[in-house]
Amino acid sequence: MMSDKQPERENDHSFANHDFQEGPLHLHEQAQIEQRIASQEARKLKAQREKHHTIWFGFGMFGLIGWSVTIPAVLGAILGMWIDARWPGPYSWTLMLMIGGVALGCLNAWKWIHKEGNIEK
């Protein structure tokens, strides 16, 4: 004989702090979830197919990131030294442009890693 009672859930109170909505999902929410799952699955399959990420790939990426920060910093310092030699003033253009080059290089490296790593926002 079957009982009309629902089976008790263990730790039913663990979900009390979450905002779960009961009822069916709206079509646009369901489509977004399906799209996210599909893109995650595609990334996993791509990572499984591409086994070229060896230690040498890591060293190459490390060097590429280093150069992408170093080159703008050095160019900024050289331009700053040229400006300081031509038009001396109370502020050091060398230091300001070198810091600007480091900031620009870090931004460039972050964008490159973000694009290559297929990281989604």
Side-chain angles (χ1 to χ4, degrees):
M1 190 168 165
M2 295 187 67
S3 172
D4 289 337
K5 285 186 173 180
Q6 293 286 338
E8 290 186 28
R9 295 183 200 168
E10 292 181 11
N11 297 329
D12 194 28
H13 63 278
S14 66
F15 293 107
N17 292 335
H18 298 287
D19 294 330
F20 291 113
Q21 296 177 352
E22 294 197 19
L25 289 174
H26 296 288
L27 290 178
H28 68 280
E29 292 172 348
Q30 185 175 358
Q32 288 175 345
I33 292 170
E34 290 173 356
Q35 184 180 14
R36 244 190 270 160
I37 291 171
S39 68
Q40 289 174 356
E41 183 66 23
R43 280 198 319 268
K44 286 179 184 179
L45 291 174
K46 181 181 175 188
Q48 288 174 351
R49 282 191 313 265
E50 296 178 5
K51 298 288 182 180
H52 69 281
H53 296 292
T54 62
I55 187 81
W56 299 113
F57 178 79
F59 283 137
M61 184 174 289
F62 184 72
L64 182 67
I65 292 167
W67 282 111
S68 71
V69 174
T70 303
I71 289 174
V74 169
L75 291 176
I78 290 171
L79 180 62
M81 288 181 351
W82 183 78
I83 292 173
D84 283 339
R86 299 277 190 248
W87 303 284
Y91 303 109
S92 172
W93 282 97
T94 304
L95 183 60
M96 289 189 292
L97 291 178
M98 184 179 70
I99 291 171
V102 168
L104 181 66
C106 287
L107 180 66
N108 184 31
W110 177 79
K111 284 186 174 186
W112 190 84
I113 290 172
H114 195 269
K115 183 183 85 168
E116 288 296 315
N118 293 326
I119 300 171
E120 293 183 12
K121 289 184 179 181

